[in-house]
Amino acid sequence: MGPKDAAPILLEGLARLEYRGYDSAGVVVSNRGLKVRKVKGRVADLAKAVPARFKGGLGIGHTRWATHGVPSDVNAHPHLSADQRVAVVHNGIVENATELRAKLEADGVVFASDTDTEVLAHLVARTVEDTASLEEAVRKALKSVVGTYGIAVLDAERPGEIVVARNGSPIVIGIGEKEMFAASDVAALVRYTRQVVHLEDGELAVLRADGFHTFASGGLETAKEPLTVDVEAGHYDTGGYEHYLLKEISEQPETVARTLSGRLDERFHIAHLGGLNMDARETRSFRRVKIIGCGSAYYSGQIGAQLIEELARIPADAEPASEFRYRNPVVDPDTLYVAISQSGETYDTLAAVQELKRKGGRVIGIVNAVGSAIAREVDGGIYLHAGPEVSVASTKAFTSTAIAFALLALHFGRVHDLSPAEGRRIVDGLAKLPAQIEEILEQGPAIAELSRKYAVHPSMMFVGRVRGYPVAREGAQKLKEISYIHAEAYPASELKHGPLALIGPELPTVAIVPDDELLDKNLTTLGEIRARGGRVLMIGHREPGAKLADDVIVVPRNEIELDPILLTIPLQLLAYHAAVALERDVDKPRNLAKSVTVE
Ligand code: AGP
């Protein structure tokens, strides 16, 4: 909001947020009444539907990922009250929407859409006339709402202000020169300002062109210090690449270097991790490490658990945060909990962290997005510094998370029994990674060729043993997520206990075969697959598998504990090129959103 027309700013901001949801989009501006445009489809479709004379310095917009009601023009946000006075955009889920809708309908309210969000517009409209401010009307409406939200609300009768509120779904305020902004992600704001304020759960804010006020849920004003974000608008461009995904895969030599920067101590062979806020005595006091995260974050956590067990000899395991939070976990005072999230906003992970904190657990975070909800909730942690990840499929955040775990494992190891010589081995190995990733990226054209060859199959098996298993899981996840080829990951050791029945010429296997102590076992597995007529694409270190594999991608050798990081890179390229060959929407795969801020 401010002196400029809101619509172009909203459309530009929505395009930047489209990776968060993209089945329909809409905008509303306030100019002697509310003017609305909403369409099923992409932000580009919305831009075509917005007329040139869509004037007004105050507006809100939304790009949707359907939860209630199919993607359609009417179900797109903003949703308006029946008298067209109040407009609302909403991220999250109103869990008691059915009950609220029934009550409103019993009072004669006629609904236009199937969404949960529309109840919010009607609820605000019911009190907006009789309350002194829009802020009060929104607060009253939210009292009856159960669920999660990040909302922005307009009142046609109060054309100088926007009210935003947060509960479980991010809201960030951008402070401009005589203009104010709000969004669910800084990506939409950095073109206009780098000064931002994050709302906490339960907080509400009133924005006017000349400033803003924030309030706690009870109505008391809160004091917020603006933060300067260190991302630039250019970080959100494709930088000349055909897709964000290829850009983000290709950036990994630099992003990995940034995650390592200033954290490797070549003198004492330790890792500097000041953000953990833990002295050596406290670090030694933990008897276990429990890692939680969702999707690819969880798989990188499995690599992390392995690293911690190997280097620090502390029992460690990873679990999906989405499961952990619902099983009433036993929270142990001698366990260190580690929450992983690229976005820092994944609702399941955030809820798991909150549950842990309620029970007195010590939680640290491995997070990419600075100042995000999870980063603010944890007791300390490691920022990835990988820069914004835009493509829905996580790549550079995955490798940087695995590296953050290697640093954590080195740190824990060196306060326990990892010798300086062993510490040096890991420090040297980590320092070599950026150049080795570069070497793998140079194989891009050859991997693209293999992708085209394998993309003709409707299904693929991924196998790996111990360190290779999370790599296989992540490889399968990448492939299915963006190419829609069905992919199943199995521990190679488990193949003969069931899935071997599937193997045949029509189901190729991608086998992760590092040159570690399990090489011979893995080669036996390859033999078993080949004996059943299965094709094998091997990702590994050297040629012994070549005789047993139809195709081989060789990656440079590092230390065996760090090899999983390098073995992941060809799998990212394999999935990317398969998706391109199949003409998929690489950066915005169907049914998915970048940060899953709903349950
Ligand atoms: C990764 O490719 C996926 N899009 C997804 O599994 C993702 O890793 C998961 O939703 C967790 O996201 P976060 O790291 O932002 O918490």
Side-chain angles (χ1 to χ4, degrees), residues 294-297 340-346 349 392-394 474 477-478 481 592-596:
C294 294
S296 290
I340 316 161
S341 179
Q342 184 286 128
S343 62
E345 301 288 350
T346 297
T349 311
V392 165
S394 186
E474 174 59 6
Q477 161 96 336
K478 282 292 86 81
E481 189 173 25
L592 299 178
K594 181 64 181 167
S595 30
V596 186

Side-chain angles (χ1 to χ4, degrees), residues 156-213:
E157 302 295 320
R158 292 179 176 101
E161 62 187 35
I162 295 176
V163 170
V164 292
R166 163 184 180 135
N167 183 40
S169 218
I171 292 283
V172 52
I173 297 169
I175 304 161
E177 279 288 316
K178 299 199 176 73
E179 53 185 1
M180 292 293 297
F181 308 86
S184 57
D185 190 321
V186 287
L189 307 180
V190 286
R191 214 147 267 265
Y192 309 100
T193 178
R194 308 262 291 279
Q195 292 288 298
V196 303
V197 160
H198 291 274
L199 285 197
E200 299 297 333
D201 276 348
E203 271 187 327
L204 177 151
V206 181
L207 275 54
R208 299 197 180 85
D210 58 356
F212 70 100
H213 294 274

